[in-house]
Amino acid sequence: MKKSDNALTKTEFQVMSILWDLGHAACAWDILDRWEEPKPAYTTVATYLKVLHEKGYVDFFKNKGEGKTHQYMPMITRVEYTRKAMQEVKKNYFGSSLRNMLSFFVEEEHLTEDDIKELFNQLKEV
């Protein structure tokens, strides 16, 4: 990625989510077809794809004989992006402490004893 430290905006994440869900390269029209109402203009989607390319999140190619249509593909998986975003949250809000981050979510999400036991069991499996 060119600028891997750039977080996605809410709408950029929406574009990426559509690409990730598709699982293959897609043009702006494909993305727009899967956009929930109210749909943005085609040019808006195309602009978001351009920005995502500049940020290094997508790349594109043209199929021979298909005019100007660009096919976009993610350059990062959803899991990779989520991992990166959570590392930033941990660093910026919890002083890079996983313990502090987990404690926060345990308290704020009002986890039940069963939830905590299930998490503990998952941790033991790792």
Side-chain angles (χ1 to χ4, degrees):
M1 294 177 58
K2 295 175 188 168
K3 299 178 184 175
S4 61
D5 59 335
N6 287 342
L8 295 173
T9 66
K10 182 178 179 180
T11 308
E12 290 168 352
F13 185 82
Q14 187 172 359
V15 172
M16 290 300 295
S17 290
I18 292 170
L19 283 172
W20 287 323
D21 290 345
L22 283 169
H24 57 77
C27 68
W29 287 112
D30 296 328
I31 293 166
L32 193 57
D33 285 345
R34 286 159 181 81
W35 204 287
E36 293 184 13
E37 295 291 342
K39 294 179 186 268
Y42 170 85
T43 53
T44 301
V45 174
T47 299
Y48 277 114
L49 287 165
K50 180 182 177 203
V51 169
L52 287 166
H53 180 258
E54 290 169 357
K55 286 183 168 185
Y57 286 106
V58 299
D59 203 357
F60 66 88
F61 61 91
K62 292 182 186 179
N63 287 327
K64 287 186 178 183
E66 291 191 23
K68 297 180 181 181
T69 304
H70 289 89
Q71 296 290 316
Y72 292 88
M73 60 201 157
M75 298 303 294
I76 185 172
T77 66
R78 186 187 313 257
V79 169
E80 290 168 334
Y81 182 76
T82 302
R83 181 180 300 116
K84 178 183 160 301
M86 293 308 297
Q87 287 170 346
E88 287 297 311
V89 167
K90 183 176 74 171
K91 176 183 166 192
N92 293 334
Y93 296 97
F94 302 101
S96 297
S97 170
L98 180 59
R99 173 176 277 163
N100 290 346
M101 188 169 91
L102 291 175
S103 293
F104 173 83
F105 286 111
V106 167
E107 291 172 17
E108 290 298 315
E109 295 299 319
H110 307 291
L111 297 178
T112 66
E113 190 174 325
D114 287 341
D115 291 334
I116 294 169
K117 284 179 185 177
E118 185 177 330
L119 285 171
F120 183 71
N121 288 334
Q122 288 177 345
L123 288 171
K124 287 195 313 189
E125 292 175 8
V126 176

